[in-house]
């Protein structure tokens, strides 16, 4: 079938016409920039359109989970630079998420989105990208980020997509058509690409309107570092309610999130740069005074050095698109364009980064003629269930966060119900000032529940409410910030994977409670992490930098060449579309590897074999060379068990050493056999590569 695909592909190839850009990405947020970096490293030309004329400096997302950091490890030191640049973890206070590198080679980080964008841009520049503003669409050969260019129409054709972009040139709006093979929309929650191709979203809309105030105050930062170090502060008092996010205590950078209720409360009440007075701009003094007053109510002290940087409104939704891939696999959505979550748990940006990690190798396979376009349908098969699960989990976590104010007598559902009654019933015909007065009065009564008069141990009502809050925290039923099982343990049940059986168990419904991650080698799972070292011969070309050591073997001083300790995840290349077959040094597994090399070659796919030797192995290299010749794309590694309590590699994978694992280019397992390699190696491998590369869908 693969030969048939290569014969037929000449009329549908994306790289066949140099005037057609293989991949155009709309949206230069972290998701779009990550995709452009991954594609470039895989040899795919791409460019990015961004309608804004500059990059936002609003912190927005601030939590990068384990799996996203593992993706960034593939981008030439980006993960290490993020870790060096983040605020000290000591300031997080009670946010314990430390594995001592047992389940992942990298830790989670607390790092503002705009700072991540800055580092991604720096990385892209090292890959040859150029940021271009205003005019400049005359030549679009790739490796450009075009700022101030808005996608205004999309026309899908038989072999390409025509995108019309609008940009400002010499004071006039100009238009330019761009031809691309595949268009990827990573343009955020209000996605223009999604709207232009007519894809709807499903779920719960308008959960809450909020205002984000981005401000600086080193005075507040120093106070909190010394008195109350932390990352998130939920503040409830009789004057105001909000959440203070400490993006960087040392630098004094914060975001204050506050609910508001339109149309009775207007965004202009918090900021609005445009006044109702003849369109004249509000003075900075008035804006600063408004925010100072609100922040004083929330933090309980005057801040002499407070500097408001930005104020933004946003609406919380819990929605996922009806489809990720449309227009004959020519238009694809990723990130917030495909899903919008409540921020509880930090899944929004992370799910988007993992979207494009799944997508990048599939796009590269299509562009380079390795796989048919049908492989792109597996992107939707795999990522949509993850988005639906994370939406439900974020929603559960958001509702858990609301348990504390509800226990204090401030049930947010009541506030929203009152607001809806005013908007949808007789209240809506009242003058706006009257509506506002009614709403403010009801909310003031609600906030009065937080007064010292009520919340004290001598007041039976207040005492019972405080006891309920303590119970919520003690039982872990409040907001959860740690989801190890979901960060690392998500699994693709169908798509470019070969299941162990016809029935694969669906994940349990999310509860919003923390679950620990349990390593798994089940098909669709992320490859478990284990520390390993490469074994190599002197003067040979190795995958990793080698070092020389000596060991006494049979009374003879033996020279060994061991590589620095790395992760099993490092065995998967980030520079090319390459599958990884992990085997033990067993005769039948070597014969499987020989057959897999031949089948991969027939599919025009790259494959590397990893021979996993047990801890303490010395003399191994000669055996693998004899067993795998004439193939040379293999590596001998030895597992590193840093303590007696750690499992061996095959025990960690819940397999025997007579099994085998085939890993996809995105580090997820395409196929495995647990205890015995089948006898008909070639037929089995043909089935596996047909599924993993999307030929089964033709």
């Amino acid at each position: 079938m693969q030969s048939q695909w290569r014969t037929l592909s000449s009329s549908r190839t994306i790289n066949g016409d140099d005037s057609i850009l293989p991949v155009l990405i709309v949206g230069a947020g972290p998701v779009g920039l990550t995709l452009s970096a991954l594609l470039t490293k895989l040899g795919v030309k791409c460019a990015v359109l961004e309608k804004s004329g500059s990059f936002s400096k609003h912190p927005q997302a601030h939590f990068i989970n384990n799996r996203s950091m593992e993706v960034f490890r593939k981008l030439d030191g980006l993960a290490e630079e993020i870790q060096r640049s983040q605020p000290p973890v000591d300031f997080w206070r009670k946010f314990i998420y430390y594995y001592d590198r047992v389940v992942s080679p990298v830790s989670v980080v607390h790092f503002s989105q705009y700072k991540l964008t800055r580092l991604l841009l720096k990385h892209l520049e090292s890959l040859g990208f150029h940021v271009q503003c205003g005019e400049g669409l005359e030549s679009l050969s790739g490796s450009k980020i075009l700022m101030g260019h808005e996608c205004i129409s999309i026309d899908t054709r038989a072999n390409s997509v025509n995108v019309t972009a609008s940009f400002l040139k010499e004071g006039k709006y100009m238009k330019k058509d761009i031809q691309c093979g595949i268009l990827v929309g990573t343009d955020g929650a209000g996605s223009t690409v999604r709207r232009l191709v007519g894809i709807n979203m499903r779920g719960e809309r308008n959960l809450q309107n909020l205002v984000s105030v981005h401000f600086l105050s080193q005075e507040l930062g120093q106070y909190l570092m010394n008195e109350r170090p932390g990352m998130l502060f939920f503040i409830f008092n009789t004057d105001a309610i909000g959440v203070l996010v400490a993006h960087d205590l040392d630098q004094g950078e914060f975001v204050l999130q506050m609910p508001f209720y339109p149309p009775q409360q207007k965004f202009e009440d918090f900021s609005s740069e445009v006044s109702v007075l003849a369109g004249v701009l509000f003075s900075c003094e008035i804006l600063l005074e408004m925010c100072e007053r609100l922040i004083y109510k929330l933090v309980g002290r005057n801040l002499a050095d407070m500097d408001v940087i930005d104020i933004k409104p946003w609406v919380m939704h819990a929605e996922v698109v009806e489809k990720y891939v449309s227009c004959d696999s020519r238009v694809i959505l990723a990130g917030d364009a495909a899903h919008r979550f409540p921020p509880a748990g930090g899944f929004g940006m992370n799910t988007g980064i993992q979207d494009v990690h799944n997508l990048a190798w599939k796009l590269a396979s299509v562009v380079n003629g390795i796989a048919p376009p049908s492989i792109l349908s597996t992107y939707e098969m795999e990522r949509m269930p993850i988005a639906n699960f994370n939406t439900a989990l974020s929603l559960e976590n958001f509702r858990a966060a609301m348990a504390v104010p509800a226990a204090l007598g401030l049930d947010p559902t009541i506030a929203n119900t009152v607001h809806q009654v005013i908007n949808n019933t007789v209240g809506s015909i009242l003058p706006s000032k009257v509506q506002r007065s009614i709403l403010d009065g009801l909310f003031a009564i609600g906030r009065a529940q937080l007064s010292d008069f009520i919340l004290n141990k001598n007041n039976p009502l207040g005492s019972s409410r405080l006891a309920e809050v303590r119970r919520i925290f003690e039982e872990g039923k409040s907001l959860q910030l740690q989801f190890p099982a979901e960060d690392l343990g998500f699994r693709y049940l169908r798509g470019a994977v070969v299941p162990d059986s016809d029935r694969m168990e669906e994940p349990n419904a999310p509860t919003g409670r923390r679950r620990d991650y349990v390593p798994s080698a089940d098909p669709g799972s992320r490859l478990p992490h284990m520390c390993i070292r490469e074994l190599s011969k002197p003067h040979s070309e190795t995958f990793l930098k080698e070092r020389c050591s000596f060991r006494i073997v049979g009374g003879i001083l033996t020279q060994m060449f061991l590589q620095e300790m790395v992760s099993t995840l490092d065995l998967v290349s980030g520079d090319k579309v390459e599958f990884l077959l992990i085997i033990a040094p067993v005769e039948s597994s070597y014969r499987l590897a020989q057959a897999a090399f031949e089948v991969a070659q027939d599919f025009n796919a790259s494959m590397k074999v990893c021979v996993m030797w047990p801890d303490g192995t010395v003399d191994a290299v000669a055996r693998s060379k004899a067993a795998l010749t004439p193939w040379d794309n293999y590596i001998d590694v030895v597992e590193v068990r840093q303590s007696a309590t750690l499992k061996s590699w095959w025990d960690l994978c819940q397999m025997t050493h007579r099994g085998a694992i085939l890993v996809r280019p995105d580090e997820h397992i395409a196929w495995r056999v647990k205890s015995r390699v089948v006898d008909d190696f070639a037929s089995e491998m043909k089935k596996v590569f047909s599924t993993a590369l999307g030929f089964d869908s033709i």
Side-chain angles (χ1 to χ4, degrees), residues 220-486:
L220 179 58
Q222 291 299 314
Y223 166 75
L224 292 175
M225 274 195 294
N226 295 330
E227 303 294 333
R228 297 179 179 179
M231 184 201 304
L232 296 176
F233 300 86
F234 291 82
I235 306 165
F236 307 102
N237 64 42
T238 55
D239 292 314
I241 295 169
V243 178
L244 186 67
V245 183
H247 282 263
D248 191 326
L249 289 177
D250 188 47
Q251 298 296 318
E253 183 174 30
F254 300 90
V255 167
L256 178 63
Q257 304 271 14
M258 296 175 291
F260 83 108
Y261 297 86
Q264 293 79 21
Q265 294 179 346
K266 296 181 173 58
F267 177 55
E268 289 82 357
D269 298 335
F270 296 87
S271 109
S272 187
E273 295 180 355
V274 180
S275 169
V276 294
L277 300 175
V280 178
L281 292 180
F282 268 123
S283 71
C284 293
E285 290 80 6
I286 295 175
L287 178 59
L288 181 60
E289 183 181 344
M290 288 179 180
C291 293
E292 282 180 339
R293 187 168 63 250
L294 286 170
I295 291 169
Y296 172 76
K297 289 180 179 180
L298 288 169
V299 303
R301 59 185 287 143
N302 286 311
L303 303 174
D305 65 342
M306 196 184 80
D307 181 15
V308 175
I309 305 299
D310 192 15
I311 302 179
K312 284 188 173 182
W314 63 283
V315 183
M316 187 188 301
H317 305 287
E319 297 179 299
V320 178
V321 289
E322 293 178 331
K323 54 185 177 180
Y324 278 54
V325 180
S326 64
C327 306
D328 194 26
S329 299
R330 293 289 177 184
V331 180
I332 300 171
L333 299 177
D336 286 354
H339 41 71
R340 309 192 290 197
F341 308 152
F347 283 98
M349 181 181 69
N350 289 293
T351 304
I353 289 166
Q354 291 146 34
D355 284 344
V356 296
H357 189 225
N358 179 291
L359 178 62
W361 74 273
K362 296 174 181 178
L363 287 173
S365 297
V366 174
V367 169
N368 294 325
I370 299 169
S374 56
I375 194 177
L376 298 176
S377 66
T378 69
Y379 164 67
E380 178 178 300
M381 291 180 199
E382 294 174 354
R383 293 306 301 170
M384 182 176 284
I386 303 300
N388 284 324
F389 184 92
N390 288 348
T391 302
L393 179 59
S394 299
L395 196 53
E396 286 291 329
N397 204 26
F398 169 68
R399 287 169 176 159
M402 297 301 100
V404 171
L408 293 172
L410 285 173
D411 191 338
T413 60
I414 295 176
N416 289 331
T417 300
V418 169
H419 184 226
Q420 290 173 8
V421 168
I422 293 175
N423 284 341
N424 300 330
T425 61
V426 67
S428 62
I429 65 174
L430 298 174
S432 58
K433 287 186 178 180
V434 175
Q435 293 182 45
R436 171 76 182 257
S437 297
I438 294 172
L439 194 67
D440 288 348
L442 291 171
F443 288 170
I445 293 171
R447 291 194 301 270
Q449 304 299 308
L450 301 169
S451 68
D452 293 338
F453 175 74
I454 294 177
L455 289 182
N456 68 80
K457 62 182 181 181
N458 297 320
N459 184 316
L461 177 61
S463 178
S464 66
R465 286 178 175 177
L466 292 172
E468 175 65 9
V469 170
R470 282 194 296 272
R471 185 191 65 80
I472 290 170
F473 284 122
E474 289 169 357
E475 296 180 4
K477 292 184 177 179
S478 62
L479 175 74
Q480 299 293 304
L481 299 178
Q482 306 173 59
F483 292 97
E486 287 74 19

Side-chain angles (χ1 to χ4, degrees), residues 18 89 141 149 167 188 196 230 277 303 309 320 325 353 401 406 408 462 485 513 524 590 601 695:
D18 290 339
V89 178
S141 58
H149 292 77
F167 62 100
L196 289 175
L277 300 175
L303 303 174
I309 305 299
V320 178
V325 180
I353 289 166
L408 293 172
R513 306 289 292 275
Y590 279 128
Q601 185 179 62
F695 288 101

Side-chain angles (χ1 to χ4, degrees), residues 593-595 597-598 601 624-634:
Q594 286 272 9
F597 273 129
E598 292 178 4
Q601 185 179 62
S624 291
K625 181 176 181 180
L628 294 174
T629 299
W631 308 99
D632 58 6
N633 192 25
Y634 67 89

Side-chain angles (χ1 to χ4, degrees), residues 646-678:
L646 292 180
K647 296 179 179 180
S648 71
W649 167 252
W650 299 107
D651 287 338
L652 179 70
C653 294
Q654 302 175 48
M655 299 168 58
T656 76
H657 71 289
R658 295 187 177 277
I661 300 171
L662 185 71
V663 187
R664 308 187 322 189
D666 62 353
E667 301 165 353
H668 282 258
I669 294 169
W671 166 88
R672 65 94 182 265
V673 58
K674 295 182 72 171
S675 58
R676 179 178 175 273
V677 178
V678 296

